[in-house]
């Protein structure tokens, strides 16, 4: 967003009331702003839409579109507002419907001192009474709310809402006897609401984010949707701070991050009921926590539930991808994927089992029309074979070819309007064809893989994977980001001790393993590729430049102690040599002057110190060859711990595993690598970055 756009993104505000009165007590209509109600933990919070969204909603309202069922996309297209119903619905994930309100008048709440908007109808009554009071200069107006509460307009600056006392049944009591009064404000500009600036409309790249074990993803037990919302918000602030030039030149817009949830699908299979039967009654909270979180790692190592997990992740990412393209038909950017904890392992296994197309993009474009028509005929033949020819028009309308048919799940077929019976036939046929194809591939590659695993120095990275039919993605990810990932540990447990330096993911060129130094779940990847060389992971630069102060201080003290140690040892060695050689010089007093000079010159020569070999020249860490897994670039990146975290690494271990969602350094690396794929760089290169 350019500086001019940010300037115009200020909320539409009415003229200050003081200015109105200076102009001759004239009335000026209030500028409305749209809010939505968020219910968290049983508490309602009214949050403002961004300036852009509010203006868009007000424009639709002014055009009379709220009389029809008009849908207005908001929040970057992730939510739709149904104007007639005054409802806000999530587009890409399941979420409770939020109430939407066109707000002009507010009162201060009892609990948290946040301003709450009045209903639209009562706000109109208040505005009408205010207009009459301003026009006629008659104040002390008293209005009664639908809940029998009294609002008194004393003057333009003092308007009070009196809440009736709970113990009083007599409405005739004076306002001072009716409990603590509430402050009433007119217009959003008078309540100091934090109105978001909005998001750039242009989307340059799409990133799917897969969570790890359990339904909660951070230390505050928030869902993957809430954590990804934080990640997206940090990315917008990082774009403004580090890609300002590109934004001002309108080279870039923003990166969209969408959450992928697989935990609810896994635990809706009925496994929770089975676990409940065998769970001991003691320490029930701890046992339920383990059943809901830790056991996800064991489920993934079960062939039955592993199939459910990989099917859910792949189908959900494909569904989100198609839905995103449907809502953003002009999108031309790339797609990347990111996984946290166990989610990164799921994505790694999916990527290792993707099939790279033998032909390049140009040859595929040349045969696109032919292959699509051939695929449509294939679908017709399949439907005819299953006695379902009557549904051919449905598949033709949705442009389903043979490849797309085998990517369809039950939910997709249901959305197409296919009845239950035909749906079951198609799903059984798709499942059986997948199994036949997978069996053929495994038998064809089995002998080669067995020989390679037994005799070759580099076993296949898919060695030891759970037996499952890994679905294919509809796109080729540009980059794979792993946050706090146990991939290295799982590969080692599966029997993969080394990764071939020439190995790369079939459809993904980039791979970044990002971790906090105290993360107990994270493991490195590079030592599995270069086991004979000891080297540190790449240190992620701080988003404000340079290292954190406490790390620089620690390094400075380390260097100082080494220098002091070397100087002290050198002084002691010279003193010891002088002490041991002094008597010899006294006894040999008759020696000639030439011999004395020779001896002095000998003493001045430093003796060889085999234990202190000269330090070799330090190799640039970014130039270490770690194979092709990340296109020849470094893979392991470590965050800098905060000063308070350095006091006790055990105390902040759990926080280290859950810190990535709000980490500016992590987000900046993700943005830097994504925008490098389209030739856009940071305004100022960060020190130490690759």
């Amino acid at each position: 967003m350019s500086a001019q756009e940010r300037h115009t993104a200020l909320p539409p505000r009415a003229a200050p009331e003081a200015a109105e009165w200076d102009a001759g007590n004239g009335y000026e209509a209030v500028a409305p702003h749209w809010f939505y109600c968020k219910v968290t933990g049983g508490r309602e919070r009214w949050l403002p839409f961004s300036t852009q969204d509010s203006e868009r909603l007000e424009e639709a309202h002014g055009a009379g579109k709220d009389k029809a069922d008009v849908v207005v996309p908001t929040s970057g297209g992730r939510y739709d507002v149904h104007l007639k119903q005054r409802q806000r619905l999530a587009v890409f994930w399941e979420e409770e419907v939020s109430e939407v309100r066109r707000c002009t008048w507010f009162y201060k709440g009892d609990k948290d001192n946040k301003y709450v908007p009045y209903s639209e109808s009562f706000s109109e009554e208040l505005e009408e009474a205010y207009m009459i009071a301003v026009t006629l200069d008659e104040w002390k107006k008293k209005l009664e709310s639908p809940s029998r509460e009294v609002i008194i307009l004393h003057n333009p600056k003092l308007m009070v809402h009196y809440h009736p006392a709970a113990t009083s049944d007599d409405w005739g009591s004076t306002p001072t006897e009716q409990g603590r009064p509430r402050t009433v404000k007119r217009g959003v500009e008078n309540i100091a609401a934090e109105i978001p600036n909005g998001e750039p409309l242009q989307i340059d790249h799409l990133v799917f984010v897969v969570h790890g074990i359990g339904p909660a993803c951070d230390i505050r037990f928030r869902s993957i949707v809430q954590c990804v919302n934080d990640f997206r918000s940090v990315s917008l602030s990082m774009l403004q701070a580090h890609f300002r030039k590109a934004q001002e030149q309108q080279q870039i817009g923003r990166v969209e991050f969408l959450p992928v949830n697989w935990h609810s699908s896994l635990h809706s299979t009925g496994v929770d009921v089975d676990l409940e039967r065998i769970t001991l009654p003691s320490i029930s909270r701890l046992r339920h926590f383990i059943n809901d979180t830790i056991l996800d790692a064991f489920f993934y190592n079960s062939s039955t539930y592993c199939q459910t997990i990989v099917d859910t992740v792949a189908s959900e990412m494909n569904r989100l991808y198609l839905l995103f393209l449907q809502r953003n038909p002009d999108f031309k950017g790339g797609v990347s994927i990111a996984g946290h904890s166990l989610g990164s392992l799921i994505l790694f296994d999916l990527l290792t089992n993707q099939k790279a197309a033998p032909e390049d993009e140009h040859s595929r474009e040349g045969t696109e029309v032919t292959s699509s028509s051939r695929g449509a005929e294939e679908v017709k033949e399949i439907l005819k074979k299953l006695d379902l020819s009557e549904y051919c028009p449905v598949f033709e309308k949705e442009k389903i070819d043979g490849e797309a048919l085998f990517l369809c799940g039950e939910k997709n077929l249901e959305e197409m309007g296919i009845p239950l019976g035909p749906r079951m036939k198609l799903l059984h046929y798709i499942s059986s064809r997948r199994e036949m194809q997978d069996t053929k591939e495994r038998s064809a590659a089995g002998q080669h893989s067995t020989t390679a695993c037994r005799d070759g120095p580099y076993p296949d990275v898919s060695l030891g994977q759970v037996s499952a039919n890994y679905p294919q993605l509809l796109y080729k990810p540009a980059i794979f980001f792993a946050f706090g990932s146990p991939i290295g540990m799982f590969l080692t447990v599966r029997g993969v001790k080394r990764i071939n330096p020439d190995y790369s993911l079939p459809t993904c060129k980039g791979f970044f393993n990002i971790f906090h130094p105290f993360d107990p779940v994270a493991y490195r990847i590079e030592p599995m590729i270069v086991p004979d060389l000891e080297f540190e992971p790449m240190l992620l630069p701080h988003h404000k430049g340079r290292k954190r102060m406490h790390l620089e201080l620690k390094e400075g003290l380390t260097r100082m102690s080494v220098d002091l140690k070397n100087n002290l040892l050198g002084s002691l060695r010279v003193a010891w040599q002088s002490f041991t050689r002094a008597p010899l010089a006294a006894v040999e007093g008759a020696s000639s002057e030439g011999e004395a000079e020779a001896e002095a010159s000998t003493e001045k020569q430093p003796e060889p110190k085999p234990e202190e070999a000269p330090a070799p020249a330090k190799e640039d860490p970014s130039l270490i060859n770690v194979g092709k897994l990340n296109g020849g670039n470094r893979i392991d990146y470590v965050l800098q711990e905060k000063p308070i975290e350095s006091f006790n690494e055990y105390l902040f271990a759990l926080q280290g595993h859950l810190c990535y969602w709000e980490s500016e350094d992590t987000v900046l690396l993700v943005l830097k690598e994504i925008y490098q794929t389209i030739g856009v760089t940071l305004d100022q290169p960060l020190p130490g970055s690759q």
Side-chain angles (χ1 to χ4, degrees), residues 452-519:
C453 293
R454 184 177 62 247
D455 302 328
Y458 304 111
D460 189 357
V461 292
S462 62
L463 175 68
Q465 284 182 355
V466 180
S467 178
N469 298 319
Y470 291 92
Q472 300 298 299
L473 301 177
L474 295 177
Y475 50 86
K476 293 183 178 180
I479 307 174
F480 168 38
F481 299 98
F483 306 142
S485 173
I487 292 175
M489 181 269 289
F490 271 87
L491 290 178
T492 303
V493 171
R494 291 171 178 176
V496 181
K497 297 182 179 179
R498 294 190 63 181
I499 298 176
N500 191 338
D502 294 329
Y503 177 78
S504 61
L505 297 170
T507 59
C508 183
K509 296 180 180 179
F511 177 30
F512 290 86
N513 183 37
I514 305 167
F515 52 89
H516 190 279
F518 303 155
D519 189 341

Side-chain angles (χ1 to χ4, degrees), residues 521-581:
V521 181
Y523 290 81
R524 291 190 63 185
I525 296 292
E526 292 173 340
M528 300 185 69
I529 304 173
V530 192
D532 300 327
L533 182 63
E534 292 188 7
F535 54 97
E536 297 294 324
M538 288 289 291
L539 184 68
L540 266 179
H542 192 262
H543 66 281
K544 292 184 178 179
R546 63 185 296 168
K547 291 183 180 179
R548 292 184 184 269
M549 186 175 294
H550 71 286
L551 294 180
E552 290 188 343
L553 181 61
K554 185 188 296 184
E555 289 183 358
L557 291 175
T558 303
R559 286 195 299 268
M560 187 185 301
S561 63
V562 171
D563 293 342
L564 287 174
K565 178 183 175 183
N566 292 338
N567 292 336
L568 180 60
L569 290 176
S571 301
L572 290 174
R573 185 178 295 109
V574 172
W576 177 254
Q577 289 173 353
S578 302
F579 175 75
T580 55
R581 296 192 181 190

Side-chain angles (χ1 to χ4, degrees), residues 233-377:
S233 299
V234 175
S235 74
L236 292 174
S237 63
M238 290 295 101
L239 283 173
Q240 293 181 0
H242 295 277
F243 293 87
R244 185 182 298 272
K245 293 180 181 178
Q247 281 191 333
E248 291 175 350
Q249 297 172 3
Q250 296 184 346
Q251 290 181 316
I252 63 173
R254 65 182 177 91
V255 176
E256 181 61 279
F257 297 89
L258 295 180
V260 178
N261 186 352
W262 55 266
H263 181 269
S264 56
S265 297
L266 171 66
H267 288 264
S268 64
T269 58
V271 66
D272 288 349
V273 178
D274 298 333
L275 284 173
E276 188 67 27
R277 295 195 198 99
I278 61 175
T279 301
L280 299 181
S282 59
I283 52 173
S284 58
R285 291 188 179 181
L286 177 59
R287 294 186 191 277
H288 287 304
F289 173 77
I290 292 173
N291 289 348
D292 205 30
T293 55
I294 307 298
L295 288 190
D296 286 352
F298 294 92
F299 284 137
Y300 187 66
N301 284 289
S302 160
S303 58
T304 302
Y305 296 107
C306 176
Q307 188 67 61
T308 301
I309 293 173
V310 295
D311 283 346
T312 301
V313 171
S315 63
E316 182 68 3
M317 289 198 296
N318 286 337
R319 181 189 73 84
L320 292 173
Y321 177 68
L322 294 175
L323 181 57
F324 179 83
L325 292 182
Q326 178 184 342
R327 295 178 63 89
N328 300 272
D330 298 329
F331 176 72
K332 304 296 182 184
V335 182
S336 294
I337 55 179
H340 176 243
S341 190
L342 183 64
S344 64
L345 178 67
I346 298 170
L347 291 177
F348 183 81
D349 288 345
L350 271 173
L351 290 177
T352 56
N353 287 276
Q354 296 298 296
K355 297 166 187 173
E359 68 275 2
D360 58 7
E361 294 291 333
H362 299 289
S363 62
R364 188 167 67 250
E365 288 175 2
T367 59
E368 185 175 356
V369 178
T370 307
S371 61
S372 62
S373 60
R374 188 166 56 245
E377 293 297 326

Side-chain angles (χ1 to χ4, degrees), residues 395-410:
F395 286 86
E396 290 178 357
K397 180 183 176 183
E398 299 292 337
K399 297 181 180 180
I400 302 291
D401 58 8
E403 182 181 358
L405 177 63
F406 286 100
L407 293 170
C408 286
E410 182 176 3

